[in-house]
Amino acid sequence: MSQLRQLRAEEAEGLGEAAKCLTKLGLTVNQARVYIALLRLGSAKASEVAKESGVERAETYRALNRLGELGLVRASVLKPTCFIPSPPEEGISRLLETYSDRLRKMREMALEAVSLLKAEQRQPPRHAALLELVVGRRRAFRKALDMINKAKVEVDCVTSGYGLKRAAKGGILDAFEEATGRKVNVKLISEVIEANLHEAKLFIEVAEFKHADQLNAFLLLVDDAEALVGVTIKEDTALDTEDHIELWTNSGFFVKAMKQFFEKAWSEAVDVHTRLDKLRKNKSEAKQ
């Protein structure tokens, strides 16, 4: 842990839940303590706020000035100066407005930065084969969504039965729908079972869909240019597990090999409607 992070962690020790929330919203520990002290006092002089908050007087003045700039504190015009806290709803709303304005300015600066940097670029970047380990299902889904959202021609996907449920839950279904709206050809192979019939019927609407038995791997190919590959260790619908690793690459050799694997699997897979008919028949026979 860096010295700065360690210092912040030490400062945060002993904070109440309200103060911790404020620090997560961007206030410093001292600013959070001062604002909460003011809420308790209603209105007070700086010396009283310092005593209530446990923050040194000089730091209390600095915190009050900054809180005033953020709209969380107002100062009386009469002497001695008293400080009044904005009501929590109003204060947090003003804090968010400040950040929204800052974000808007950063976006404007970002556009200008991109334009200036492009002007500095003399040669297009050389293509290099890259490998990236993606740890955790949430990160893997973010990577997959980013790939699908950039697709221009084709998306090929293989996932397990419970992987299909996770895909619907994690946004892949919506991403497929948007891709098909852009005229991207989406192909999907998954194991259709009783547990994922609802999700399977949804994916039928947004992809060419085939069934294959006993799948325990995940594969995503986009535009024959990049691949995301993983093996399912634990079959469940959880998205937050860190016990999951996938490999992303733009290596032409690797992507070509995965494309050949997908095409073979596609040729051997069963049309999803045939699979659904079989499941319905099995269910009907079981009732008899």
Side-chain angles (χ1 to χ4, degrees):
M1 182 183 292
S2 69
Q3 290 183 344
L4 180 58
R5 288 177 63 188
Q6 184 175 356
L7 179 61
R8 286 177 175 171
E10 290 172 355
E11 286 180 342
E13 285 184 7
L15 284 182
E17 291 303 314
K20 287 180 181 177
C21 283
L22 289 174
T23 60
K24 290 176 182 178
L25 286 171
L27 296 190
T28 66
V29 170
N30 284 344
Q31 289 164 3
R33 285 176 170 155
V34 166
Y35 179 64
I36 290 171
L38 260 181
L39 287 174
R40 290 172 181 159
L41 295 170
S43 65
K45 295 181 290 186
S47 58
E48 295 170 330
V49 176
K51 183 177 180 180
E52 175 69 22
S53 65
V55 177
E56 292 182 2
R57 186 175 294 193
E59 290 297 326
T60 296
Y61 274 108
R62 275 192 280 270
L64 287 168
N65 287 335
R66 181 56 182 156
L67 290 170
E69 293 171 357
L70 293 172
L72 274 75
V73 167
R74 289 166 290 178
S76 67
V77 294
L78 300 176
K79 299 294 183 180
T81 303
C82 279
F83 296 91
I84 304 119
S86 298
E89 299 90 342
E90 180 183 328
I92 297 302
S93 178
R94 288 184 177 180
L95 186 61
L96 293 177
E97 286 175 6
T98 299
Y99 292 147
S100 296
D101 185 56
R102 187 183 303 172
L103 181 59
R104 179 184 58 78
K105 291 178 180 177
M106 288 180 67
R107 283 175 175 157
E108 292 174 356
M109 291 173 61
L111 291 173
E112 182 181 359
V114 169
S115 177
L116 292 171
L117 290 171
K118 282 185 175 180
E120 294 290 336
Q121 190 175 16
R122 295 289 184 268
Q123 298 290 336
R126 297 176 182 176
H127 177 79
L130 303 174
L131 293 173
E132 176 187 342
L133 283 179
V134 184
V135 181
R137 275 191 184 149
R138 284 283 183 191
R139 296 183 190 90
F141 269 101
R142 285 197 292 269
K143 188 69 174 180
L145 290 171
D146 181 60
M147 292 169 64
I148 297 166
N149 290 337
K150 293 187 298 183
K152 292 181 173 61
V153 179
E154 187 172 24
V155 172
D156 301 323
C157 183
V158 177
T159 190
S160 64
Y162 276 89
L164 194 70
K165 293 176 73 68
R166 292 192 297 270
K169 187 177 177 182
I172 301 295
L173 177 68
D174 294 334
F176 278 1
E177 184 176 16
E178 291 176 7
T180 54
R182 301 193 306 271
K183 307 302 182 185
V184 174
N185 185 30
V186 180
K187 291 183 177 180
L188 171 65
I189 304 173
S190 183
E191 183 177 13
V192 180
I193 54 179
E194 289 291 343
N196 67 11
L197 280 180
H198 173 70
E199 289 78 12
K201 291 173 182 177
L202 294 175
F203 274 99
I204 287 172
E205 301 298 322
V206 299
E208 293 182 60
F209 194 172
K210 286 192 174 184
H211 159 83
D213 292 320
Q214 298 180 340
L215 294 173
N216 66 345
F218 175 80
L219 169 64
L220 180 67
L221 294 166
V222 171
D223 293 339
D224 294 345
E226 55 181 334
L228 184 65
V229 185
V231 177
T232 302
I233 299 173
K234 183 180 180 182
E235 276 289 36
D236 56 31
T237 59
L239 298 181
D240 293 319
T241 178
E242 292 295 310
D243 187 21
H244 183 83
I245 298 177
E246 293 184 11
L247 172 69
W248 171 88
T249 184
N250 63 349
S251 163
F253 174 80
F254 188 89
V255 171
K256 184 178 180 180
M258 290 298 99
K259 181 68 173 183
Q260 291 172 347
F261 163 80
F262 180 84
E263 288 177 342
K264 186 174 188 299
W266 184 260
S267 67
E268 296 174 353
V270 177
D271 181 80
V272 70
H273 296 286
T274 302
R275 173 62 174 176
L276 291 174
D277 289 341
K278 183 178 180 180
L279 289 175
R280 280 193 289 267
K281 182 179 178 181
N282 291 345
K283 191 173 183 179
S284 177
E285 290 175 351
K287 288 182 178 179
Q288 294 177 0

